[in-house]
Amino acid sequence: MSDTTTPIDAEPGSLHALVLQQLDDDQAQEIVSIPLQGKSSIADHMVVASGRSTRQVAAMANKLAEKVKKSGKAMPRIEGLPAADWVLIDAGDVVVHLFRPEVRSFYNLERMWGFGEDGESRQMGRA
């Protein structure tokens, strides 16, 4: 993990922690969590991550939606699955954006929310 990133704090047992753990298990790349409490009423957290290909993005989205559904914490809604360039998973308190790297850099959601190159980055790192 680089010096500019801080670990993501997620309450154990929370939907946020479940999402982060599943994405890490599925080897998502560049997992970033943006706290939205006080900034937006759409969710408490926005998680942005990348997959190496459309196949990996689609697989991660399906597995994550199934895991959230089985947990009983939310009934996730998925958008963008057929193309799998950018998949949105709305799990209520946590909104997840899964991208192919090129699409992610084009839309640059982290910068729009004040994170990324010029903002504080809270990124999940690997040991």
Side-chain angles (χ1 to χ4, degrees):
M1 189 165 13
S2 72
D3 294 338
T4 60
T5 59
T6 52
I8 299 170
D9 293 323
E11 184 178 324
S14 68
L15 176 61
H16 185 222
L18 181 141
V19 166
L20 295 173
Q21 185 60 57
Q22 186 61 46
L23 291 174
D24 190 51
D25 290 350
D26 289 341
Q27 299 182 354
Q29 299 176 329
E30 299 180 47
I31 302 169
V32 175
S33 181
I34 302 170
L36 298 181
Q37 287 180 318
K39 296 179 185 176
S40 175
S41 61
I42 62 169
D44 293 338
H45 301 278
M46 178 186 300
V47 176
V48 182
S50 298
R52 293 179 297 279
S53 65
T54 55
R55 181 174 284 178
Q56 185 189 19
V57 169
M60 287 190 307
N62 283 320
K63 284 180 76 175
L64 179 59
E66 189 61 33
K67 185 85 165 200
V68 169
K69 199 180 302 180
K70 282 184 180 177
S71 76
K73 295 182 186 299
M75 283 301 294
R77 293 186 309 265
I78 302 176
E79 298 289 334
L81 201 51
D85 286 331
W86 176 1
V87 178
L88 169 75
I89 302 164
D90 181 350
D93 291 341
V94 180
V95 174
V96 182
H97 295 271
L98 301 176
F99 290 99
R100 279 189 314 104
E102 308 81 40
V103 178
R104 181 177 182 173
S105 64
F106 179 79
Y107 288 103
N108 204 354
L109 290 183
E110 295 95 327
R111 181 171 285 187
M112 182 173 68
W113 284 92
F115 283 71
E117 294 172 20
D118 299 324
E120 174 190 3
S121 178
R122 310 183 104 215
Q123 189 169 14
M124 204 164 163
R126 297 195 190 287

